Amino acid sequence: MSDNVVARPGGSDAYGGPEMVQLLTPEGERVDHPEYSRYLDGLTDEDLRGFYRDMFLIRRVDTEGTALQRQGELGLWVSLLGQEAAQIGVGRAMRKQDYAFPGYREHGVGWCRGVKPLQVMSQFRGVDQGGWDPNEVGMQLYTIVIGNQVLMGTGYAMGITLDGDVGTGDPDRDAAVVAFFGDGATAQGDVNESFVFAGVNNAPIVFFCQNNQWAISEPNERQTRGPLYHRANGFGFPGIRVDGNDVLASYAVSKAMLDRARDGQGPSFIEAFTYRMSAHTTSDDPTKYRVDAEVEVWKHRDPIQRLRAYLIRSGKADQAFFDDLQREADALAEEIRTGTIGMTEPDPHGMFDHVYVEDDHALIEQQRAEFAAYAASFED
């Protein structure tokens, strides 16, 4: 099937254009890049198998999330199917002191930062007020308001500069921020305002756009007449397009831009050219707005299959590795299903806790009492 099926005005050609950074072809063949290949020099065979393990397991988490929602155990699920390489690549390029500001699809980034799958499930089941401690893992909670997290990430990055944690030369101190958003969010005012503030303040932030071709039901051509990464030029910082289905390229480019930010060279924009293989969320029906032929083309660019092909061809992984990983994935799936279904219902009165720093707040206490009376009225 011809790749021309997915050609759109928003890109230079059907698959990312000649400027797109790629280190691993869809067939799993390793290719060199004059600028970014060097960022893979320190990776071991164990690291490469680790990339595969990350992507394989987070896809299983995603599969279970979809199944649980269909079974009525989750209120909603937002799938990342097809975007594993983009997220794992940048997630593994981040250092402990870096900070991530996600949208609502960044399960792979959370996996890399130490967010447990059940903590993600608890959010979508609605049994707590967040799921994880952001400061413990260096990743903010999910943001449903499109693009809002980009503003927050920019402000946090400006704070890092004011704290003196940029450009010191200390690898354990210098920090950066990654703000995640989709192609649809680039049309939001919040995102463009963030670009302005980050540029003029030289903030240590990497704007990571996962261009999965569809903003819910709107294709790129309804949002822009040029490649998204070109937008960075207008705000005074570099933009680059990377093959978002190539975990090695995603890692290398992210590592380069994060190093640049930590060194005090300011913001950058990465457009990870990828594809959303599933629905926007479990409340969406993609058959209403896109054709099956387009999805079939992108199946041949599957990020997990291309790394598997490379690991096998290069002798870096054997069948025993893949068999062991399959068993690990099955055990993880069982843990997710059992843990999600067994989650206790939250105390509805707990919504009034931690609203303000002070324990006693007149308005909150009044609302707490009114809600208690309302709830009690059903007991009879």
Side-chain angles (χ1 to χ4, degrees), residues 10 20 207-211 213 220 227-230 239-244 269-273:
M20 183 176 74
F207 296 108
F208 196 90
C209 173
Q210 295 169 80
N211 180 2
Q213 311 300 312
N220 278 185
L228 295 176
Y229 71 100
H230 283 181
I240 183 170
R241 175 179 280 179
V242 63
D243 186 344
F269 181 107
I270 298 176
E271 178 192 355
F273 199 76

Side-chain angles (χ1 to χ4, degrees), residues 145-196:
V145 180
I146 304 298
N148 185 247
Q149 72 278 6
V150 186
L151 276 176
M152 295 188 291
T154 299
Y156 190 93
M158 292 166 62
I160 290 176
T161 303
L162 294 174
D163 288 340
D165 293 332
V166 178
T168 69
D170 183 351
D172 296 323
R173 177 180 177 181
D174 291 337
V177 169
V178 184
F180 294 89
F181 51 98
D183 48 287
T186 61
Q188 292 289 107
D190 285 0
V191 174
N192 289 273
E193 289 166 10
S194 301
F195 294 165
V196 172

Side-chain angles (χ1 to χ4, degrees), residues 52-81:
Y52 184 87
R53 174 181 177 272
D54 288 338
M55 291 194 294
F56 192 84
L57 292 181
I58 201 60
R59 178 170 289 188
R60 188 58 179 271
V61 172
D62 185 63
T63 300
E64 295 304 319
T66 299
L68 285 164
Q69 195 282 329
R70 297 306 189 202
Q71 295 161 10
E73 300 296 343
L74 300 178
L76 183 74
W77 182 251
V78 185
S79 176
L80 57 53
L81 185 63

Side-chain angles (χ1 to χ4, degrees), residues 291-367:
V291 297
D292 291 340
E294 179 174 305
V295 181
E296 289 301 316
V297 167
W298 281 90
K299 284 183 179 179
H300 295 291
R301 301 168 181 162
D302 185 283
I304 297 180
Q305 291 304 316
R306 78 168 66 180
L307 183 57
R308 180 188 177 100
Y310 171 68
L311 292 175
I312 293 174
R313 181 180 292 113
S314 60
K316 299 181 185 300
D318 55 18
Q319 189 58 45
F321 165 75
F322 296 112
D323 291 343
D324 288 344
L325 185 56
Q326 183 62 59
R327 285 188 286 271
E328 183 180 1
D330 291 342
L332 177 61
E334 177 60 29
E335 176 187 337
I336 290 172
R337 288 193 297 270
T338 302
T340 299
I341 296 172
M343 288 178 180
T344 58
E345 293 297 317
D347 176 10
H349 301 273
M351 76 174 85
F352 300 100
D353 298 337
H354 313 301
V355 177
Y356 290 96
V357 175
E358 300 86 358
D359 292 333
D360 295 322
H361 189 280
L363 179 59
I364 294 300
E365 292 309 313
Q366 177 186 340
Q367 293 175 347

Side-chain angles (χ1 to χ4, degrees), residues 96 99 113-114 116 119 132-139:
K96 181 179 180 181
Y99 215 101
R113 302 302 289 170
K116 296 177 175 58
Q119 292 177 310
W132 61 85
D133 181 349
N135 291 327
E136 181 180 330
V137 297
M139 175 169 160

Side-chain angles (χ1 to χ4, degrees), residues 13 36 106-107 125 177 186 213 241 251 264 321 331 349 374 376:
D13 68 5
Y36 294 103
E106 279 67 52
H107 317 318
R125 191 171 171 87
V177 169
T186 61
Q213 311 300 312
R241 175 179 280 179
Y251 171 83
F321 165 75
H349 301 273
Y374 173 74

Side-chain angles (χ1 to χ4, degrees), residues 214 216-218 279 283-292:
W214 291 92
I216 307 183
S217 59
E218 291 296 310
S283 64
D284 171 44
D285 181 4
T287 64
K288 300 294 185 182
Y289 55 81
R290 70 184 186 188
V291 297
D292 291 340

